[in-house]
Amino acid sequence: MGNAFFIFCGCVDQASVGIIERWGRFERLAQPGFHFFNPFAGQCLAGILSTRINSLDVRIETKTKDNVFVQLLCSIQYRVVKQNADDAFYELANPKEQIQAYVFDVVRAHVPRMTLDELFEQKGEVAKAVLEELEKVMGAYGYSIEHILMVDIVPDAAVRKAMNEINAAERLRLASVYKGEAEKVLQVKKAEADAEAKYLGGVGVARQRQAITDGLRENILNFSHKVEGTTAKEVMDLIMITQYFDTIKDLGNSSKNTTVFIPHGPGHVRDISDQIRNGLMEAASCQVNVE
């Protein structure tokens, strides 16, 4: 500690306290500074204790309530009480072993009543129990326990591996749930979009057919007024035949060379016109129902 001892004088460092004896018996405490002694009267500096905070790391192996062996690393921070330095000097030969023994006793009394999960959650309670016990015991010997820290809790390697696997499986399960929910939402939205598209497509087809019907009606009326002696049915047949030939022409001009086999002849033309007329009438009826 950098303390100098002489026959007639001695020096006590800062944050230290000296023990002065007379004829082998404790006389008084020496505060930091320079001191004179009378060796002829049996006075001497018997020893010096540091009042700085010391740290003691204790590793304890014990078993939890669910039969898991764990190692706990406990850090004890303690110091000598300056006013009771004589008790610390004379009462305990090895204070570190004394502190370690009490830590073992308290930890092994509390941890077996906890499961591994509870130990991780309540390690502060274990540290508090150790602190209370050490303060009660070591205070009588001139020591003050400043802090108790549960630095680490280390389960067996096989247990750590199992815990990691459980955690990984739980995360995979959650990921699967979230993925399923996302796919469900995607399918629902896709179905809704498909239904909306079909609905709008149907409305568009109905409006298209209605427009065709309105156009044919207007053409028939105009033709009937301009050509005397014609009926609406005759005009309709003429328009249908014209559209029939336009359709055949478009099929022939198609770049895909599509071949369509249809009956063709004077009698079949009338049948086709009847079919087209019936289709247009059905389209007009459907449009009325939609509106």
Side-chain angles (χ1 to χ4, degrees):
M1 297 182 184
N3 301 296
F5 297 93
F6 301 94
I7 297 177
F8 296 98
C9 60
C11 183
V12 179
D13 287 342
Q14 183 67 31
S16 299
V17 61
I19 306 297
I20 298 177
E21 295 179 346
R22 183 185 293 271
W23 303 117
R25 182 177 180 179
F26 172 74
E27 183 180 44
R28 62 184 175 86
L29 298 175
Q31 301 302 320
F34 187 76
H35 297 271
F36 287 96
F37 310 107
N38 186 359
F40 300 104
Q43 194 178 56
C44 67
L45 183 63
I48 295 177
L49 292 177
S50 173
T51 57
R52 295 184 179 93
I53 294 178
N54 295 294
S55 180
L56 174 63
D57 292 335
V58 181
R59 186 175 293 274
I60 313 110
E61 184 174 6
T62 184
K63 185 179 72 170
T64 62
K65 186 178 180 179
D66 47 354
N67 297 321
V68 177
F69 283 91
V70 294
Q71 286 189 353
L72 289 84
L73 180 59
C74 184
S75 179
I76 298 94
Q77 298 178 357
Y78 66 98
R79 71 193 310 169
V80 173
V81 179
K82 186 179 296 186
Q83 295 79 4
N84 301 326
D86 54 328
D87 292 332
F89 186 79
Y90 291 106
E91 296 294 335
L92 292 180
N94 194 330
K96 291 186 178 181
E97 289 186 0
Q98 188 80 3
I99 293 173
Q100 184 173 347
Y102 279 104
V103 172
F104 270 89
D105 181 66
V106 175
V107 170
R108 287 178 174 172
H110 280 75
V111 172
R113 290 181 285 180
M114 300 179 177
T115 63
L116 182 60
D117 292 337
E118 291 173 347
L119 177 59
F120 276 101
E121 294 172 359
Q122 304 175 20
K123 66 177 184 178
E125 297 297 325
V126 178
K128 182 179 178 181
V130 175
L131 178 62
E132 292 176 353
E133 183 67 21
L134 286 180
E135 281 183 338
K136 181 174 61 177
V137 174
M138 299 304 295
Y141 299 117
Y143 285 90
S144 172
I145 308 300
E146 301 295 327
H147 300 286
I148 301 291
L149 303 176
M150 285 296 169
V151 179
D152 198 8
I153 300 174
V154 184
D156 185 77
V159 176
R160 293 201 304 271
K161 181 179 179 181
M163 292 174 66
N164 290 333
E165 290 178 353
I166 291 172
N167 186 271
E170 180 66 17
R171 292 182 181 275
L172 288 175
R173 186 185 68 82
L174 290 176
S176 300
V177 171
Y178 291 144
K179 183 178 179 181
E181 290 293 332
E183 291 179 352
K184 176 183 176 182
V185 172
L186 182 62
Q187 292 294 332
V188 170
K189 293 298 181 182
K190 184 177 179 181
E192 291 177 353
D194 186 58
E196 184 69 17
K198 289 180 178 179
Y199 170 76
L200 295 177
V203 172
V205 171
R207 290 178 178 176
Q208 180 186 24
R209 291 178 178 177
Q210 180 63 32
I212 294 173
T213 303
D214 293 341
L216 290 175
R217 185 187 301 111
E218 185 178 354
N219 290 334
I220 291 170
L221 292 176
N222 291 335
F223 193 87
S224 299
H225 290 311
K226 292 180 180 180
V227 180
E228 297 181 357
T230 59
T231 63
K233 182 178 182 304
E234 292 174 345
V235 176
M236 186 68 179
D237 291 340
L238 178 60
I239 293 174
M240 292 299 102
I241 292 172
T242 302
Q243 290 186 348
Y244 170 73
F245 284 113
D246 289 340
T247 302
I248 294 177
K249 179 180 178 181
D250 291 337
L251 289 174
N253 294 332
S254 175
S255 60
K256 296 182 180 180
N257 296 323
T258 303
T259 301
V260 179
F261 293 94
I262 57 175
H264 183 68
H268 293 298
V269 173
R270 179 175 296 277
D271 294 338
I272 293 173
S273 65
D274 292 339
Q275 294 175 10
I276 295 174
R277 187 187 309 108
N278 293 334
L280 292 174
M281 293 176 65
E282 291 177 0
S285 176
C286 292
Q287 178 65 24
V288 172
N289 293 333
V290 170
E291 294 177 352

